[in-house]
Amino acid sequence: MQVTFWGAVGTVTGSMHELRVDGRRYLLDCGLYQGRRKEAKERNSHFPFAVNSVQAVILSHAHIDHSGNLPTLVRQGYGGPIYATPATGDLCSVMLRDSAYLQEKDAAFINKRRERRGVLEPVTEGGAVEPLYRIEDAEATVPLFQPVGLRTRTALGNGLEYEAYDAGHILGSSALVLAYQGNGRRVRLGFSGDIGRPGLPIVRDPEALPPVDYLIMESTYGGRLHKDLGTVLAKLANVINRTCQRGGKIIVPAFAVGRSQQLVLMLHELSDAGKIPNIPIFVDSPLAVEVTGVFRKHAELFDDETRQFLRNGGDPFGFQRLRYIREVSESKALNDLRGPFVVISAAGMCEAGRILHHLRNNIEDPRNTVLITGFQAQNTLGRKLVDKLPEVPIFGETMRLRAEVETLNELSGHADQRELLEWLKPLAGRLKKLFLVHGEPSQTTAFAQVVEERYGLEAVVPARGQTFELS
Ligand SMILES: [Zn+2]
C-alpha cells in the first residue's frame, strides 16, 4: 500500500490523498483548493494522476475543502463510486450544486469586468474565463454517491475494505479506517478527516478509532487551545447586547453547513432565556436553508441535548424571531433595514456569496460588529477581517474596516491541541507512522512537537506529492 499526499499539506484546503493498492488507485477526499485565484484554478483543474485510473473515492465529510473538487473529477471523466455516509451524500448533493453555481457566477463576474475594462484597455489575456465546473457537472456527480452508514465494513475489492466512524465535526462527518489484506500482509490505515470538538452543539462527540498501523491526521489547531465551550453562550449574548446598544448590526459570516445551524440553535436558546433582546435574526443563505433541511432529515445523528430539544417539542432550527431568506431581492432589502439585527450569511471565509454584500454595506460603520465563527484560511477576506487590517478589498474596492470584529473560536468545528491529543491517545501506542496534514505550518509543527514529547511518536509532515510505502 502506498499513499501520496496531494492536498491539505502545509495548508488546510484541498484535502486529497491518493492511495495505491496492488496497482489500483483510490482517493481519500477530493477537496477544492482555496487560495489565490490563479493558483487555485491551476491546482483544482489539474489532477496529478490519470482521472480514469481512479477506482473509488472515499469521502470523509461534505465540507467543500474535502468534497468540492469532485465535479472536476467527474467532468474530466471519473465515473466510479464515491463512498460517504448518507448525510454526507445528502449534504453534497446540495453543496456541490451551490459550489458550481458560485464557480459559474464568479467566472461571469470576471468576464463582465474584463469586458467593461476592455473599453479602456484591450484585454490581453486569452478569451473568456471558464468556470472550474458547471452545475451540470455537479449534477453528474451526485448519482455516483454510494451511501454507507457509520461502522459498516465495506469491501472495495482486492482485499481492501473501509469503515467510517463519527468524527463529530459536522453532520455526517467521519474518520476512516482502511484495511488491506493480501500477499500475506495486513495493513491498517486511519484517516481522521476533520475532528470535531467534544461538546459542540448538535453533532455527537468524536468517536475513538480502533487500532491502526498508520494514521493521516488533521492538525488545523495543533498548536492552539480553544476557549472553553462553557462560556460561549454568554460571549455570544454579550456581543449581541453591546452591538444592539450601539444600534448596530451583527454580521456573521458562517459556513452554511454546521455553523449556521449551531448559531441558530444557540440564538434560539438565548432568546428563550431572555438573554438577548428580541431583534430580528436572518439566515441569508439559500444554501443554509437547504442544508438545514438535510439536518432535519438526519436527526438520528444529533447529540443527546439536541434530541432532548426535539423531544420537548422545540424546533432546533426555527423560532419566531428567525427568518430564512432565499430570494436575492429580500437579501438586498436587508441593506436598507435599520439595525439592530443579526444576519448569518455564507460563505464562511467571506470569499464568495451574499456575505460579501453585507460586509460591503456594513464594515465601514463602527456601530456594527462582524462576528467570525470559524477558521479563516490565509489570504481569505475572512482572515483579513480577523487580523483587523485597516483596509480590506471587497468586490475589487478598498473598504475601511471600522466595524468591531469579534471571534467566537470556541465554536470551531475543529478539535484544539489538547482535544487532538486525547483523540490520538488510544492509537499512539501501536502507530508505525503518523502523517500530519490539514494545518498551516506553524500549527502542524507545534503538534508534531507535542506528539513527540507526549507519546514518543515521530510525526511526519509530508510535502505535496510525497509518497510513502505503508507495509
Ligand atoms: Zn471540515
Side-chain angles (χ1 to χ4, degrees):
M1 196 191 260
Q2 277 182 333
V3 63
T4 306
F5 297 89
W6 291 116
V9 280
T11 172
V12 296
T13 82
S15 176
M16 182 170 72
H17 314 300
E18 176 194 349
L19 205 61
R20 256 166 303 161
V21 182
D22 289 342
R24 291 168 157 243
R25 180 172 272 137
Y26 301 86
L27 290 185
L28 303 178
D29 287 353
C30 185
L32 198 69
Y33 176 81
Q34 292 150 306
R36 291 194 185 88
R37 189 193 295 273
K38 214 170 161 187
E39 191 196 352
K41 186 75 184 284
E42 173 67 26
R43 184 80 88 84
N44 288 322
S45 50
H46 294 101
F47 288 99
F49 41 77
V51 162
N52 55 15
S53 70
V54 177
Q55 301 285 322
V57 181
I58 307 141
L59 188 59
S60 65
H61 64 291
H63 274 150
I64 285 299
D65 61 319
H66 294 256
S67 72
N69 214 21
L70 283 167
T72 313
L73 197 74
V74 173
R75 186 186 170 102
Q76 294 184 10
Y78 179 71
I82 300 165
Y83 292 99
T85 63
T88 297
D90 288 344
L91 286 172
C92 280
S93 134
V94 174
M95 291 167 68
L96 295 179
R97 274 190 192 94
D98 179 76
S99 175
Y101 167 75
L102 292 176
Q103 298 286 347
E104 287 187 15
K105 217 174 72 172
D106 196 50
F109 176 79
I110 295 169
N111 288 331
K112 212 166 125 189
R113 198 173 61 183
R114 277 190 176 182
E115 218 177 272
R116 250 195 343 253
R117 284 190 183 162
V119 178
L120 301 170
E121 46 182 289
V123 177
T124 45
E125 279 177 64
V129 171
E130 268 288 301
L132 180 63
Y133 51 80
R134 296 178 180 278
I135 290 173
E136 65 241 37
D137 302 312
E139 280 170 351
T141 306
V142 173
L144 301 180
F145 274 84
Q146 298 265 351
V148 179
L150 295 169
R151 291 177 174 270
T152 309
R153 207 172 287 176
T154 304
L156 300 169
N158 284 42
L160 185 67
E161 58 178 34
Y162 91 96
E163 195 166 351
Y165 297 81
D166 200 327
H169 169 66
I170 59 163
L171 195 81
S173 68
S174 61
L176 308 169
V177 172
L178 292 112
Y180 170 73
Q181 190 162 11
N183 300 334
R185 286 175 294 141
R186 287 166 68 116
V187 186
R188 288 170 62 83
L189 168 69
F191 173 41
S192 71
D194 288 354
I195 304 162
R197 296 196 74 186
L200 277 178
I202 304 173
V203 289
R204 295 204 192 112
D205 292 352
E207 273 186 290
L209 282 194
V212 289
D213 307 303
Y214 299 90
L215 178 65
I216 304 169
M217 183 175 177
E218 72 123 317
S219 54
T220 316
Y221 285 116
R224 230 173 285 177
L225 293 176
H226 295 320
K227 293 199 181 87
D228 192 39
L229 262 166
T231 53
V232 69
L233 274 172
K235 198 167 157 191
L236 178 60
N238 277 340
V239 176
I240 289 175
N241 286 320
R242 79 174 171 261
T243 311
C244 284
Q245 276 159 17
R246 299 195 295 256
K249 304 173 190 173
I250 300 112
I251 311 294
V252 192
F255 298 97
V257 186
R259 200 59 38 79
S260 293
Q261 291 75 21
Q262 288 167 347
L263 282 162
V264 163
L265 179 60
M266 289 164 62
L267 290 167
H268 194 167
E269 286 171 6
L270 288 173
S271 178
D272 280 355
K275 289 186 174 155
I276 52 172
N278 269 330
I279 56 168
I281 294 160
F282 301 97
V283 175
D284 181 21
S285 155
L287 178 61
V289 178
E290 286 193 59
V291 165
T292 303
V294 177
F295 269 63
R296 290 181 199 276
K297 189 177 152 192
H298 288 283
E300 80 281 0
L301 296 173
F302 293 171
D303 61 10
D304 292 342
E305 293 82 353
T306 312
R307 285 211 235 192
Q308 191 58 45
F309 203 97
L310 275 173
R311 271 198 294 273
N312 293 343
D315 174 1
F317 310 118
F319 59 109
Q320 209 207 339
R321 306 300 304 169
L322 178 76
R323 256 189 55 207
Y324 286 98
I325 293 183
R326 277 177 182 272
E327 300 304 320
V328 175
S329 56
E330 285 182 83
S331 171
K332 288 191 172 150
L334 294 181
N335 293 340
D336 303 319
L337 190 71
R338 287 172 68 102
F341 61 81
V342 178
V343 54
I344 300 169
S345 189
M349 295 195 204
C350 313
E351 283 297 272
R354 291 182 183 179
I355 190 64
L356 284 174
H357 84 83
H358 294 301
L359 289 169
R360 179 167 70 177
N361 278 289
N362 292 296
I363 65 165
E364 294 199 324
D365 185 339
R367 289 176 300 175
N368 299 334
T369 300
V370 180
L371 181 61
I372 302 279
T373 58
F375 183 81
Q376 305 298 321
Q378 269 167 358
N379 304 317
T380 59
L381 173 59
R383 181 65 156 262
K384 295 183 174 101
L385 295 170
V386 171
D387 291 342
K388 299 184 184 172
L389 299 187
E391 291 184 333
V392 295
I394 301 180
F395 291 129
E397 267 177 69
T398 302
M399 312 281 305
R400 285 167 301 173
L401 174 58
R402 287 188 161 162
E404 179 186 346
V405 178
E406 180 63 87
T407 52
L408 275 187
N409 277 338
E410 292 90 330
L411 278 184
S412 167
H414 289 274
D416 68 7
Q417 186 185 75
R418 192 175 50 83
E419 293 156 348
L420 287 173
L421 281 171
E422 275 304 302
W423 186 84
L424 177 60
K425 198 176 184 175
L427 301 174
R430 177 170 156 183
L431 273 188
K432 290 184 186 166
K433 212 169 247 167
L434 171 67
F435 301 102
L436 293 182
V437 296
H438 205 285
E440 286 173 4
S442 63
Q443 299 297 314
T444 306
T445 311
F447 193 62
Q449 223 164 38
V450 73
V451 162
E452 192 171 352
E453 283 163 21
R454 194 68 60 88
Y455 302 133
L457 257 177
E458 198 186 329
V460 177
V461 182
R464 182 160 192 264
Q466 206 174 350
T467 299
F468 295 84
E469 193 68 47
L470 314 180
S471 56

